[in-house]
Amino acid sequence: MFNLMMDELEAAAINGCVNARLSDHESRAAFAAEARAIRNFRGKLKFLTGQVKAEGIGAPA
């Protein structure tokens, strides 16, 4: 469910960037920043879960 939601958010940000007016640089930059933020967030979560698995520590409930 989480991955599906993140996929939808990222796709919406990319579509907003692609479909912004050619002269609307601020909106294009904002959508691009949003897509980068989502990708960075997913990358950090993946890194942290990998670290937890490597250390053999269970995630807190």
Side-chain angles (χ1 to χ4, degrees):
M1 183 69 164
F2 176 79
N3 284 329
L4 182 61
M5 183 178 71
M6 287 289 119
D7 289 342
E8 290 292 324
L9 288 173
E10 186 177 354
I14 292 169
N15 285 334
C17 186
V18 169
N19 294 319
R21 292 185 192 183
L22 291 176
S23 61
D24 193 359
H25 303 296
E26 291 177 5
S27 292
R28 189 179 307 280
F31 283 123
E34 184 178 345
R36 281 191 303 272
I38 292 167
R39 287 180 182 168
N40 288 339
F41 180 67
R42 291 173 93 171
K44 285 181 184 180
L45 284 179
K46 187 174 182 179
F47 170 76
L48 290 173
T49 56
Q51 215 176 18
V52 168
K53 287 179 184 178
E55 294 175 1
I57 301 171

